[in-house]
Amino acid sequence: MTTCISSSWNASWAEPVEIRTPRLILRSARPDDLEAMHAVLSDPRATRWWSTPPHETLGQTRAWLDGMISNGPAHPDFVIELDGRVVGKAGFWRLPEVGYILHPDCWGQGLAAEAVGAAIDHVFQTPDVDTMTADVDPENAASIRLLERLGFMPTGSGERTWNVGGVWKDSLYYGLTRADRAAMTAGQAPA
């Protein structure tokens, strides 16, 4: 079950958003999230499948966090809080593409599915987005399982799509329609 503290999301809405799930709070990022997000983004295990190498300095993370904050409501991107501490991010840095990262200490507990599912459902509450996308490294089996568990379906692939730290990565592309997500959450098979 997801409880959204905001009444609804749309591109003109400028108030901070808070979404509560059974174990998590997803909320708009703040400058004081710097050290917690640096703990995530500087961890080589967490960034193994991320679009950048691990952050080496707080300055790198500050620039990343400032970008997340300045994106504003047109990009519903959230930090993830567990028991009062920030442990990652989930949401849309650029609609309709979902992205997420979680500190490795929190892996294997279903938290990513809970957070990403809540972010997806939040955006699908509006008429602005009918299809979401995801770009995942073909070697990232855990993320592929997560996307498929949330209802995403494969839509294609690409070779040498990301250059991360001088290493070219391939992509698998996934999509999720509003209708398929609604059917899935109602316990029906996707169309």
Side-chain angles (χ1 to χ4, degrees):
M1 178 179 160
T2 302
T3 303
C4 182
I5 302 305
S6 67
S7 57
S8 65
W9 172 85
N10 66 51
S12 64
W13 188 70
E15 294 295 320
V17 175
E18 185 175 283
I19 302 167
R20 293 180 179 267
T21 71
R23 298 179 292 173
L24 305 171
I25 296 174
L26 280 70
R27 62 167 173 78
S28 301
R30 303 184 304 239
D32 64 343
D33 296 325
L34 176 62
E35 289 192 20
M37 283 310 305
H38 184 68
V40 176
L41 294 168
S42 64
D43 190 309
R45 297 168 299 165
T47 58
R48 180 176 180 194
W49 311 113
W50 195 240
S51 57
T52 65
H55 289 190
E56 295 179 3
T57 67
L58 274 174
Q60 286 177 287
T61 306
R62 182 176 293 108
W64 179 88
L65 185 62
D66 288 348
M68 185 177 180
I69 293 168
S70 69
N71 274 341
H75 304 274
D77 212 1
F78 309 104
V79 295
I80 303 167
E81 279 189 18
L82 172 67
D83 298 327
R85 63 187 170 92
V86 172
V87 297
K89 84 102 188 162
F92 301 84
W93 67 278
R94 179 183 63 200
L95 278 169
E97 186 173 341
V98 69
Y100 43 91
I101 189 168
L102 196 62
H103 193 281
D105 291 349
C106 298
W107 291 355
Q109 302 172 46
L111 298 174
E114 190 172 323
V116 177
I120 288 168
D121 292 341
H122 176 68
V123 171
F124 274 155
Q125 289 178 8
T126 73
D128 298 340
V129 177
D130 286 318
T131 302
M132 296 178 181
T133 63
D135 179 336
V136 62
D137 189 305
E139 296 177 6
N140 188 349
S143 192
I144 291 168
R145 283 191 306 272
L146 169 65
L147 290 169
E148 291 175 351
R149 187 168 54 243
L150 292 171
F152 281 81
M153 305 290 284
T155 60
S157 63
E159 294 181 0
R160 298 173 52 95
T161 55
W162 289 91
N163 188 313
V164 181
V167 177
W168 282 101
K169 299 290 190 169
D170 297 338
S171 291
L172 293 177
Y173 302 117
Y174 280 78
L176 175 65
T177 66
R178 178 190 308 273
D180 285 348
R181 179 69 179 167
M184 195 204 108
T185 56
Q188 304 166 1

